[in-house]
Amino acid sequence: MVGMSSLVQVNIGVAAVSIAYCLHEAKKLQVFSSLVSPSMIVNQPANLRLAVAAAGGSTLFLGLSLLEQAFFREDSTVRGPIASTLDFLKTLFGQEPRRKGLNVNQWIDGYNHLQRPEDASGRNQNYDKMVDYFYELVTPFYEWGWGSSFHFAYRLKGESFAESMRRHEYYLASWLGLAPGSKVLDLGCGIGGPTRNIGRFAGWNMMGITLNEYQVKRGTELSRQQNLSHAMEFRQADFMKPLDFIADNSFDGVVSVEATCHSPDRSVVFKEIFRVMKPGAVFANYEWCLTDKYDKNNPEHCFIKKKIEEGNSLPDMLQTKEIDKILMECGFEIVISRDMTQDLNQEHAWYMPLVPSWNPFLQRFQFNWFGKLATCVLLYVFENLRIVPVGTYKVQSMLQVAAVACVEGGRTGTFTPMYIFAARKPRDSASLRQSRTV
């Protein structure tokens, strides 16, 4: 597999050679008119038909590539659909060789096995393995369909998808109230989309932590491509365990975007965040939560909850009020906490990117019945051609089920992926001593 620019160069060569060959053969056979008449092409020798097909296909690809470059700048963080798809296939092609011991088919079967019990005990006990498996398998899909920021955001009138995502990140960062040059931790950073956007916007020095090895490498690579390596550091670590490489009172602030929801015990994570923050610093977070509308005795609500957890590598989800309680028990002072899905003036709800559409030029096309079938069949064919690893279509199927559950959680109002809170570490030593005894 090769990159976008390399493919363009290859197609220029293929188009030039094919057209030259077509003209040569047409002159020799005196059948110039057959080159522009489909009905006559089928009656020509096989080698000429193949050359015409190669010339037409490579020329069409070049035309689409030029059209894409007219809408998507080379220096933009937003990729066009052709470039994104080629990058996606390139990533999948090298997925198993990239990580020693990775077998996509075995890993997705292992991940699904952890979801079988109706209770969350298996997921809670094996959270680290479950989360690592999950992000190793789904990160290429997330980046292909979502970009480098793996989170939700509602859209205001006139906003593009990318603009809404950045606004959502900047709003979270605004609660830290820090000057340029501050040192900020991003807990559960993924491949660093929000880390880079926030750090570049605010002029902060960022450290991102993620459990998954590939995400660390990808985040580092993307930061280098955007000339941000000097202000970005990515580390592989489990935030359910002591972050021994970080000293007490090290960071001016902490952000987390839809990441601590992977923890089976929030108090462990929040206490470690409290330790590494300077007194007076703020921890701002978007949490995945059940809302007050969730009824544990309602079968539909329970089904939606289970499918969201299965398809997103989550332990047992908590309700919003439980998050507030744990924060206070860990010693934090809550500055703000609210469910942003209830904000006014939304033109598109947060779950709209997951709602099926019949527009073939939208990412949402894959969620209608035909798109689901076509995507799985195409990936299954690619598996047999060894373009993508065996088991890839199972990963896509899992993500499609999760998407449906998220939409239903949004429509029923029983689930929110954007319960925002900003919590301050007290400045006075008395409060600090009290928090350590909790």
Side-chain angles (χ1 to χ4, degrees):
M1 304 292 290
V2 289
M4 180 67 178
S5 59
S6 300
L7 278 174
V8 170
Q9 294 170 5
V10 169
N11 271 269
I12 291 174
V14 170
V17 171
S18 300
I19 292 173
Y21 182 80
C22 288
L23 292 174
H24 177 268
E25 289 297 302
K27 181 179 180 181
K28 184 169 63 176
L29 298 173
Q30 296 183 343
V31 288
F32 281 102
S33 61
S34 69
L35 298 181
V36 294
S37 173
S39 60
M40 295 184 66
I41 288 176
V42 297
N43 298 319
Q44 301 308 315
N47 59 339
L48 183 56
R49 294 201 305 271
L50 181 61
V52 170
S58 56
T59 302
L60 177 62
F61 178 86
L62 287 172
L64 291 174
S65 300
L66 291 173
L67 184 62
E68 179 175 73
Q69 290 184 26
F71 287 95
F72 298 92
R73 301 188 307 274
E74 279 296 319
D75 62 342
S76 175
T77 56
V78 180
R79 307 297 306 281
I82 298 176
S84 297
T85 300
L86 292 173
D87 287 343
F88 172 63
L89 293 175
K90 177 183 177 182
T91 301
L92 291 181
F93 184 74
Q95 191 173 27
E96 290 184 337
R98 181 178 66 233
R99 178 164 177 175
K100 185 178 180 180
L102 171 60
N103 182 300
V104 170
N105 199 43
Q106 291 180 5
W107 280 36
I108 184 60
D109 287 344
Y111 176 84
N112 288 333
H113 180 74
L114 292 173
Q115 315 301 324
R116 287 178 183 172
E118 286 304 313
D119 61 61
S121 58
R123 286 177 279 137
N124 290 350
Q125 293 170 10
N126 297 279
Y127 76 91
D128 52 348
K129 181 178 181 180
M130 180 178 70
V131 173
D132 189 30
Y133 277 22
F134 178 78
Y135 279 110
E136 188 72 33
L137 297 171
V138 307
T139 295
F141 287 90
Y142 277 10
E143 190 174 0
W144 176 46
W146 223 256
S148 61
S149 292
F150 302 165
H151 63 82
F152 290 105
Y154 60 73
R155 287 170 60 182
L156 302 174
K157 186 173 182 178
E159 271 189 331
S160 67
F161 174 78
E163 288 169 342
S164 71
M165 298 289 275
R166 288 193 293 269
R167 172 187 47 77
H168 198 64
E169 294 162 5
Y170 298 158
Y171 178 71
L172 183 73
S174 70
W175 286 100
L176 272 60
L178 298 174
S182 297
K183 185 178 179 182
V184 175
L185 176 66
D186 183 0
L187 205 70
C189 62
I191 61 173
T195 318
R196 283 183 296 276
N197 288 340
I198 291 173
R200 178 169 42 204
F201 176 75
W204 296 341
N205 296 308
M206 306 289 294
M207 175 186 285
I209 291 176
T210 175
L211 182 63
N212 181 256
E213 175 187 336
Y214 169 66
Q215 291 190 334
V216 171
K217 293 178 179 178
R218 184 63 176 152
T220 302
E221 177 188 4
L222 291 172
S223 296
R224 178 187 55 78
Q225 292 176 4
Q226 297 176 32
N227 297 320
L228 291 171
S229 297
H230 63 285
M232 305 287 147
E233 179 185 1
F234 295 92
R235 299 286 294 267
Q236 184 180 7
D238 180 356
F239 54 53
M240 279 292 293
K241 298 174 181 177
L243 303 175
D244 295 331
F245 56 92
I246 301 178
D248 293 357
N249 308 319
S250 294
F251 286 95
D252 300 305
V254 178
V255 294
S256 186
V257 182
E258 302 182 19
T260 55
C261 53
H262 292 295
S263 166
D265 188 344
R266 296 295 202 290
S267 63
V268 173
V269 180
F270 291 171
K271 286 178 181 178
E272 187 64 3
I273 294 171
F274 190 95
R275 179 186 70 81
V276 304
M277 292 169 59
K278 294 178 180 179
V282 171
F283 167 36
N285 187 14
Y286 287 124
E287 274 280 358
W288 283 33
C289 294
L290 300 171
T291 71
D292 290 340
K293 291 184 178 180
Y294 175 78
D295 180 2
K296 64 180 180 180
N297 297 315
N298 184 315
E300 180 190 9
H301 292 184
C302 293
F303 179 79
I304 291 170
K305 172 181 179 289
K306 182 68 162 65
K307 290 304 176 183
I308 291 175
E309 291 170 346
E310 285 182 4
N312 294 279
S313 188
L314 300 180
D316 203 13
M317 279 197 291
L318 301 180
Q319 290 193 285
T320 55
K321 56 191 175 186
E322 293 178 279
I323 296 296
D324 289 356
K325 182 174 181 290
I326 295 171
L327 282 168
M328 291 186 287
E329 289 175 347
C330 291
F332 285 101
E333 299 171 346
I334 298 178
V335 179
I336 182 179
S337 63
R338 64 184 177 88
D339 180 6
M340 286 183 59
T341 66
Q342 303 304 307
D343 287 2
L344 301 176
N345 302 319
Q346 299 180 34
E347 184 174 43
H348 298 292
W350 63 268
Y351 54 82
M352 277 306 295
L354 303 177
V355 174
S357 169
W358 286 96
N359 185 337
F361 297 103
L362 294 180
Q363 176 258 357
R364 294 163 48 197
F365 180 80
Q366 64 175 302
F367 297 118
N368 67 54
W369 68 265
F370 178 79
K372 289 180 181 178
L373 177 63
T375 302
C376 287
V377 169
L378 185 62
L379 288 174
Y380 185 77
V381 171
F382 281 178
E383 285 183 16
N384 285 276
L385 295 174
R386 296 298 185 265
I387 295 174
V388 301
V390 174
T392 300
Y393 88 95
K394 294 181 185 178
V395 178
Q396 174 67 3
S397 298
M398 174 195 70
L399 292 175
Q400 288 175 336
V401 171
V404 172
C406 283
V407 171
E408 291 308 306
R411 284 176 170 165
T412 59
T414 57
F415 164 72
T416 174
M418 53 183 71
Y419 183 68
I420 186 174
F421 67 75
R424 189 183 308 278
K425 179 175 179 176
R427 296 180 185 276
D428 62 288
S429 58
S431 297
L432 295 180
R433 284 196 298 272
Q434 182 181 8
S435 69
R436 291 192 183 103
T437 65
V438 174

